[in-house]
Every structure is written in structure tokens, then in C-alpha cells.
Amino acid sequence: MKILITGCLGFVGTNLVLHLLKKGHTVLGIDSRFKREGSSQNLELTLKKGLEYQYCDIRNYNDIFNTLKNKERIDIVYHFASQVSFKNSISNPRLDFEVNLLGTFNLLEYIRQHSPNTKFVYASTNQVYGNLEKIDLVESETRFDFKTMKKGVPENYPLDYLSPYGCSKGGGEIYCIDYSRVYDLKIAIARFGGIYGVNQYSSEDHGWVAYITNMIRTNQQYRRFGHGKQVRDILYISDLVTACEKIGESKEKLNLTIYNVAGGPTNTLSVLELIKLIEHLTGNKSKDEVLEMRKADKVVMYLDIEKAKKELNWHPKVSYIEGLKKLLSWQEKG
Ligand SMILES: NC(=O)c1ccc[n+]([C@@H]2O[C@H](COP(=O)([O-])OP(=O)(O)OC[C@H]3O[C@@H](n4cnc5c(N)ncnc54)[C@H](O)[C@@H]3O)[C@@H](O)[C@H]2O)c1
């Protein structure tokens, strides 16, 4: 198959590129190499394996048109290109809007006008569920947890687009849903939880697991916000890649399908629990500077993944212990 991956030099894009090339697909990747540490390393790695790469800024429709106009028909688009930082979306909401919402709109427009049979898989986020402040929590020594919603937040939970990032990613979802409905396009939405793993060049603002792991591994001081009992589910990258592949290759017409793709209730960790685990795995002592909890930080967030498990015949295979060991080993290789 001929597959287009937007944001191909980012963490998720790179890993899906490598997986699909290995499976024998032809992969075209586009990226603007927007301020991403690691994009040069990821470019070198994926080019060696056969990626066809083109610079393209999805904020600009003409860039997309000129990049794709003479290419052969694309079977699937995986749309990962994004401004991914919650914090940057607050300091620069226009940029966030232009990349995430206008960029998604531009791609949908290209598909509508020039490639209406192409399947389109949109990477969304658990941020569209807001901060879940109406859900009762229970506290234990190392974590908070949902009091009753033990399977996690399901796809039909009311959305609450907290932060410009939540708005722009959620706005992208709304356009996807409507383009699917009005123009009969084949579109699916995958709401990712926290993802971690190899080829992830994380920062304080994006990729908390890889960031904390790396700071403890290298004995560096880092900032930690609040009590540390915040809980998230985490999914190892190979499991995410498999889920994306299954969504894209699903025989069903994709329209209006929405899946939570995340670690789910059996792969949750609090910040304190992660720190303890990494201290144990590295033998190092965490050096954290504790600051106040950030505004709009959720206390507990994990997703109900039953729908993806049932309909895609998929489940997370890599436990967090195994995944963290793989991450550490990749980070150690530099
Ligand atoms: N990694 C996670 O934990 C996570 C969680 C939830 C959702 N997501 C979503 O998954 C997708 C991939 O995330 P990631 O972790 O790989 O992020 P990433 O930042 O590593 O990759 C995003 C890529 O998009 C590119 N990009 C940014 N602006 C662009 C533009 N205007 N034109 C073209 N390319 C541009 C960047 O250069 C980068 O290579 C994003 O849509 C993100 O919102 C990721």
C-alpha cells in the first residue's frame, strides 16, 4: 500500500514509518521539522530504511497540494503532525490553532478535492476529555484513583476542550466527523493517552515518562509539579503502532469511528510510582524540585480501551516494566 504519514519525523510518526516500511509498504512522510529535538536523528534513521521524505508545512494548503499532486494514489493517511505542547498552546494559541486545526482542515480539504477514497486516521488526544473535575477520586499513599469509573474514561464521555491544545485537537475531531458525514470520507479518530518508547526525544512539556526517566538516568535535576500522586495510563509505542495499523487497515468503512488508544486501567502509574520504579531500575536517586500543581493539570486520567480491544482485536502487550526497560536501554545508547 502507499501510505502518507504527516509529522513523520516526530516520535509516533517515526515509529509507524519504520513499522510500515518493514511490512513492505511504500511510505511517504511529510514534516516541517518544527522545533523538534531529534528530528534529524529520526530523519536519518527513516531515510536509511526507505522513507520518501518531503518538507511540507501543513499550515499552508499550497505546500500540501504541491507535495502530493504528482504522487500516485495514497491508500491511507496517518495524520500526526501537530503542535503537541499543552503549555505552548497557552503561550502561543495562534500557532497551536494554525498547526492543529488549520493544518488538519487543509489535509481534509486535499483529501476531499483530490483523493476522496483515501482513508484518513486522525491522531487526537485524551485532552479532549478536559480535567474530569466532576469525577470522584480516592487517595492512597502513592496515588489518586477514580472512585468508581475503574475501566477509565470511555469514548462517549462528554468532551470538555480545556486549553487551546484541547480546543485545536478537538476542533480537528469535529472537522473529521463532519467531513466524514458530509463528504462521505473514510475517517477514523484515535484518541491517544500518554505514549512512551524508543525514538522519543521528550521535554518537560511533552512525553513525561521519557522525560523523567531520562532526567533520573542522567542524574539531572528536574521540575515536578504538585503532590506527585497524579495518575496516567501509559502505552508503549509498539502497541500504539499496532493499534494505528489495525485502524488504518480495518475493512470497515472508517467513517465516524472513534477509539481510545491508550494503556488503559492496567497500565497506570502515578508520578511518584514512576520515580520509584526508575530509581530502582537505574540505581540513581531522583533529584526533583517540587513546584505547585499546574493550573488545569488533571489529577487522574486513564482511558477505557474496551472498544479498541473488541473491535480491533487489539490489546496492549508490553507491560510498563518491560516498556520502561526498553526505553532506558534506548536512552542509554544515546
Ligand atoms: N506522544 C504522546 O504521548 C501523545 C499523546 C496524545 C496525543 N498525541 C498526538 O499524536 C501525534 C504525534 O505526537 P508525537 O508525540 O509524535 O509528537 P512529535 O512532536 O514528536 O511529532 C509531531 C511532528 O509534527 C511536526 N510538525 C509540527 N508542525 C508541523 C507543521 N506545521 N507541518 C508539518 N509538520 C509539523 C513536528 O516537526 C514533529 O516532527 C500528535 O498529533 C499528538 O497530538 C501524542
Side-chain angles (χ1 to χ4, degrees), residues 10-12 31-32 34 36 56-58 80 165 169 195 206:
F11 164 49
V12 174
D31 202 296
S32 68
F34 168 75
R36 286 301 285 152
C56 173
D57 188 333
I58 60 164
F80 299 141
Y165 177 68
K169 296 298 286 188
I195 318 296
H206 183 60

Side-chain angles (χ1 to χ4, degrees), residues 91-129:
S91 58
N92 193 346
R94 180 175 293 280
L95 177 69
D96 180 82
F97 165 83
E98 286 177 358
V99 177
N100 293 355
L101 192 46
L102 180 60
T104 300
F105 173 78
N106 284 338
L107 286 161
L108 289 171
E109 269 296 273
Y110 182 85
I111 303 284
R112 175 179 80 82
Q113 293 179 42
H114 303 288
S115 198
N117 286 319
T118 297
K119 291 177 176 178
F120 188 84
V121 181
Y122 175 67
S124 187
T125 164
N126 57 12
Q127 301 273 356
V128 298
Y129 297 114

Side-chain angles (χ1 to χ4, degrees), residues 6 58 79-86 89 96-97 99-102 104 121-129 159 161-177 189-192 206:
T6 77
I58 60 164
H79 175 32
F80 299 141
S82 187
Q83 186 302 111
V84 292
S85 161
F86 175 85
S89 81
D96 180 82
F97 165 83
V99 177
N100 293 355
L101 192 46
L102 180 60
T104 300
V121 181
Y122 175 67
S124 187
T125 164
N126 57 12
Q127 301 273 356
V128 298
Y129 297 114
L159 302 184
Y161 308 103
L162 196 75
S163 86
Y165 177 68
C167 291
S168 61
K169 296 298 286 188
E173 282 197 8
I174 295 171
Y175 268 94
C176 284
I177 291 168
I189 294 168
R191 292 184 184 142
F192 298 169
H206 183 60

Side-chain angles (χ1 to χ4, degrees), residues 309-328:
K309 277 166 126 178
K310 198 166 143 214
E311 293 184 12
L312 300 172
N313 189 22
W314 165 90
H315 67 274
K317 288 188 175 153
V318 182
S319 69
Y320 59 74
I321 303 272
E322 206 186 327
L324 290 170
K325 284 184 184 165
K326 284 174 194 261
L327 172 67
L328 271 168

Side-chain angles (χ1 to χ4, degrees), residues 227-244:
H227 42 59
K229 293 188 181 184
Q230 300 95 317
V231 163
R232 301 286 184 272
D233 56 346
I234 63 173
L235 182 69
Y236 191 69
I237 185 67
S238 57
D239 284 325
L240 177 89
V241 158
T242 316
C244 289

